[in-house]
Amino acid sequence: MVEMIGQAAGSIWNYLNEKGESSVSKMKKELDLKGNMADLALGWLAREGKIEITKKGLTTNVKLV
């Protein structure tokens, strides 16, 4: 499971590196991350200090730091 989360985290990092800040819902859809895999991967990246998560109204955004 840890390997799958790490791969999802890498996909998210690459996506944000290429596209810049994104809403979490848009990113999940474009990367086709199922279930809670995106949430687990975002937690991984946040714990490593690689992303910043912000809330704008009802939208949760994420970007690289």
Side-chain angles (χ1 to χ4, degrees):
M1 187 72 176
V2 172
E3 188 174 320
M4 291 172 56
I5 297 168
Q7 289 173 352
S11 294
I12 290 172
W13 192 93
N14 288 328
Y15 176 88
L16 295 172
N17 188 50
E18 183 179 313
K19 303 206 181 240
E21 184 172 359
S22 175
S23 72
V24 172
S25 59
K26 177 182 177 184
M27 180 193 62
K28 281 183 183 181
K29 184 177 180 180
E30 289 190 10
L31 291 177
D32 196 31
L33 295 172
K34 303 292 185 202
N36 64 349
M37 191 54 62
D39 299 328
L40 293 168
L42 287 169
W44 177 312
L45 291 168
R47 179 72 171 108
E48 289 186 343
K50 300 198 186 261
I51 60 170
E52 179 180 311
I53 301 169
T54 57
K55 188 91 166 161
K56 293 181 182 176
L58 298 175
T59 305
T60 302
N61 290 337
V62 63
K63 68 179 180 179
L64 295 178
V65 291

